[in-house]
Amino acid sequence: MSKPRIHVITLAEIVPQHESEVIQVLRTAAVLTRQEDGCLRYDLYRDTTNPMRINTIEVWADEASLNRHMNAPHVKQAIMTLIGKLAGIPQFRVLQVVDEFEI
């Protein structure tokens, strides 16, 4: 049996006057993250009822890949740049697969 992949959802809300900058920072981070070893998927979404709510949905090959990502220089830079531009602290959820449909 193969090791289960690691799924992560991050939920955040943008302070409206910083919307353009936050979106650019997150898009840049997404491009760099997708190039990381072990990144199987990294997507950025807006909430349809509140476009200031932004989410990432990530899939990592394993916990080690996620840990490397969390310590990557571009992640640290994005976090520092986003201070004060998000409403509160983002929610970061690491998920364990219970039942998953694969294509």
Side-chain angles (χ1 to χ4, degrees), residues 8-9 11 14 23 35-36 41 52 58-59 62 66 70 73 79 82 87 93 97 102:
V8 178
I9 297 175
L11 310 157
I14 301 169
I23 294 299
Q35 297 171 23
E36 290 181 51
R41 186 170 191 112
M52 292 301 107
E58 312 167 32
V59 181
D62 51 36
L66 174 59
M70 294 305 293
I79 290 168
L82 294 174
R93 298 179 181 165
V97 174
E102 288 192 49

Side-chain angles (χ1 to χ4, degrees), residues 83-98:
I83 291 174
K85 297 175 177 85
L86 299 176
I89 298 171
Q91 296 176 28
F92 181 76
R93 298 179 181 165
V94 179
L95 307 174
Q96 178 182 23
V97 174
V98 174

Side-chain angles (χ1 to χ4, degrees), residues 12-89:
E13 188 164 338
I14 301 169
V15 173
Q17 63 264 35
H18 298 292
E19 176 184 9
S20 181
E21 182 181 3
V22 169
I23 294 299
Q24 183 56 45
V25 167
L26 294 175
R27 282 185 168 160
T28 299
V31 168
L32 294 171
T33 297
R34 291 175 184 138
Q35 297 171 23
E36 290 181 51
D37 187 39
C39 179
L40 303 177
R41 186 170 191 112
Y42 190 94
D43 301 314
L44 185 59
Y45 299 94
R46 282 186 188 255
D47 188 301
T48 59
T49 60
N50 179 351
M52 292 301 107
R53 290 185 185 144
I54 197 92
N55 306 304
T56 64
I57 298 177
E58 312 167 32
V59 181
W60 295 91
D62 51 36
E63 192 172 349
S65 298
L66 174 59
N67 290 337
R68 280 192 305 274
H69 165 68
M70 294 305 293
N71 289 296
H74 71 272
V75 172
K76 291 179 181 183
Q77 178 63 43
I79 290 168
M80 294 304 294
T81 302
L82 294 174
I83 291 174
K85 297 175 177 85
L86 299 176
I89 298 171

Side-chain angles (χ1 to χ4, degrees), residues 5 7 41 59 97-103:
R5 296 176 301 221
H7 295 250
R41 186 170 191 112
V59 181
V97 174
V98 174
D99 188 15
E100 182 177 58
F101 176 76
E102 288 192 49
I103 298 174

